[in-house]
Amino acid sequence: MADTTQELLQRIEALERRLNTPPPPASPGSSFAYVPASTGDSFFLLCSGLMVFFMQCGFGMLESGSVTSRSTQAILLKNLLDACISGLLWWMVGHAVAFDGGNGFIGGEVGFSPSSFFTAGYRNADDPGYSYLLWWFQWTFAAAAGTIVSGAVAERAQLLAYLAYTFILTAVIYPIIVHWCWSEAGWLSTKNGHLDSGGNFTSDAVLDGVIDFAGSGVVHLTGGTAGFFGALIIGPRHGRFEVVYDGSKPPRRGRPLQLPGHAPVLQALGTFILWLGWYGFNAGSRLTLSSGDDSAVVGRIVANTTIAASTSGLTALLATLAFSKGRGYDVATMCNGILSGLVSVTAGCATLPLWGALIVGAIGGLVNRGFGQLVLRLKVDDPLEASSVHGACGAWG
């Protein structure tokens, strides 16, 4: 019996060694090649980040098609500056403020390892390649948050004022909000907690934290809120509202007037590019594809993203046809409806059932149309409805 037990243990040890030893390199012409899990995760993050960064092209096309032709160059220049400035700021301080340190309100702790200030500590990280990729992936989100505002203040913001806003949002406001919700110490983060004596995770966050998987609130509500107040402060474009001369000084703003964009083709193309990029935005937020149920979760994410966008686009169009006099089949309405569904489902895309994504998308389309009308009643000129699409729908998501 002892010999049998010893033989069994030896076989188990041999099996463990085989499982822990990578297979030899594939021979030339072979259809099989071994890819380590870390390499697969890095490739997944790289592909997802490329899709998110390509959303900058979508924003540029959507925004330039939604304004007058004379403003196209200014819109595109601001989008390019957004990417360049946010890239440097995220490298210098942004990522550190977002993820370094144990403070619940703000990151950026000096001495934290690995330090994200200028990515100084990444060379000595356990997996430097993945650390750099994760930094870069998070930057694509920061750049997206910054670009949202350019649509809300289109055709009015002076360049220096817009650059100042980009600096403040990317270096201070957005990283702090990321720290609240996504860092391991944030006061709203589901990652903020400890293991109790029984080995169970106990949350230290307020109300056990908030689930914002890919950034309905962190990215879109932040950008949409900044866009709303920017549009409110800067005032409307000339000709956006009827001028009422009733003795008041300055003259009162009356009913809104139509200022359609000059290129519906660019609006539709930009929307399709953003929709494509959203699959990287949402699915990529899983960060890995090699362990546990990663594949199942990513599959659920892309399905929910598709259903919410489709439902919201149709809902927004039908609501406009039903309740808005004089508005027919409008490309801009359909585009904003699709984007509203994408924003709405971003927070719960990994946890919602498919029927839940349908409901979230349908309500997102209604929220978009309703809040858009409220903004007009407040006499705020938001050419791309950024405050409605990203702000209101981000809050709903």
Side-chain angles (χ1 to χ4, degrees):
M1 183 67 181
D3 293 340
T4 304
T5 303
Q6 185 66 27
E7 182 180 349
L8 180 61
L9 290 174
Q10 290 174 353
R11 289 183 178 181
I12 292 175
E13 292 176 357
L15 181 59
E16 289 178 343
R17 286 195 297 269
R18 289 182 60 186
L19 291 174
N20 294 326
T21 303
S27 59
S30 172
S31 60
F32 172 81
Y34 172 76
V35 178
S38 60
T39 302
D41 290 340
S42 295
F43 185 72
F44 171 67
L45 200 61
L46 174 63
C47 292
S48 299
L50 289 172
M51 294 171 70
V52 178
F53 183 63
F54 190 52
M55 291 174 71
Q56 294 295 325
C57 298
F59 279 121
M61 290 185 178
L62 177 64
E63 292 175 16
S64 60
S66 301
V67 298
T68 57
S69 57
R70 68 175 182 273
S71 301
T72 299
Q73 182 170 328
I75 284 286
L76 296 177
L77 177 61
K78 289 172 183 174
N79 285 6
L80 291 167
L81 288 170
D82 262 336
C84 294
I85 293 174
S86 65
L88 292 176
L89 290 174
W90 195 249
W91 171 61
M92 290 187 285
V93 297
H95 194 274
V97 173
F99 292 103
D100 287 8
N103 186 290
F105 181 80
I106 188 172
E109 178 181 319
V110 177
F112 184 82
S113 180
S115 175
S116 295
F117 286 108
F118 298 92
T119 62
Y122 286 16
R123 290 188 297 271
N124 300 320
D126 294 335
D127 188 348
Y130 188 80
S131 297
Y132 282 117
L133 274 172
L134 187 58
W135 167 87
W136 168 75
F137 182 75
Q138 295 291 353
W139 163 69
T140 63
F141 279 56
T147 306
I148 290 170
V149 183
S150 64
V153 298
E155 300 192 271
R156 290 154 294 167
Q158 294 184 353
L159 184 60
L160 290 179
Y162 185 77
L163 295 181
Y165 137 77
T166 300
F167 179 89
I168 295 172
L169 185 72
T170 308
V172 182
I173 297 175
Y174 176 75
I176 289 177
I177 295 175
V178 169
H179 186 80
W180 291 353
C181 300
W182 286 347
S183 74
E184 294 186 356
W187 65 281
L188 287 174
S189 174
T190 55
K191 300 176 183 177
N192 182 4
H194 64 278
L195 296 178
D196 60 20
S197 57
N200 299 313
F201 181 83
T202 301
S203 176
D204 294 330
V206 175
L207 298 177
D208 293 335
V210 296
I211 297 176
D212 189 358
F213 184 78
S216 285
V218 173
V219 178
H220 297 283
L221 179 56
T222 301
T225 302
F228 173 78
F229 284 102
L232 175 66
I233 293 169
I234 206 169
R237 294 168 291 173
H238 178 72
R240 184 63 178 98
F241 295 98
E242 185 180 48
V243 180
V244 179
Y245 296 97
D246 56 0
S248 59
K249 294 183 180 180
R252 185 169 55 86
R253 298 171 191 166
R255 62 184 179 87
L257 304 175
Q258 293 296 321
L259 281 178
H262 80 283
V265 172
L266 289 178
Q267 290 176 291
L269 183 59
T271 300
F272 276 121
I273 290 175
L274 289 171
W275 192 345
L276 170 67
W278 231 284
Y279 292 115
F281 200 97
N282 286 355
S285 294
R286 181 67 180 182
L287 302 181
T288 63
L289 196 61
S290 64
S291 60
D293 59 349
D294 283 345
S295 180
V297 173
V298 168
R300 177 195 293 266
I301 289 170
V302 297
N304 281 338
T305 301
T306 303
I307 290 173
S310 304
T311 306
S312 183
L314 293 173
T315 302
L317 182 63
L318 293 174
T320 300
L321 291 172
F323 301 112
S324 297
K325 296 180 179 180
R327 293 287 293 274
Y329 294 95
D330 185 33
V331 171
T333 298
M334 189 75 176
C335 290
N336 287 333
I338 291 170
L339 296 177
S340 296
L342 292 168
V343 170
S344 298
V345 81
T346 294
C349 59
T351 53
L352 287 169
L354 298 188
W355 59 264
L358 183 102
I359 295 174
V360 167
I363 296 178
L366 296 175
V367 168
N368 165 251
R369 302 319 306 149
F371 193 83
Q373 292 301 311
L374 175 62
V375 169
L376 290 178
R377 288 183 177 274
L378 295 174
K379 311 303 179 188
V380 176
D381 181 16
D382 184 351
L384 276 90
E385 297 187 359
S387 56
S388 175
V389 172
H390 300 277
C393 291
W396 156 239

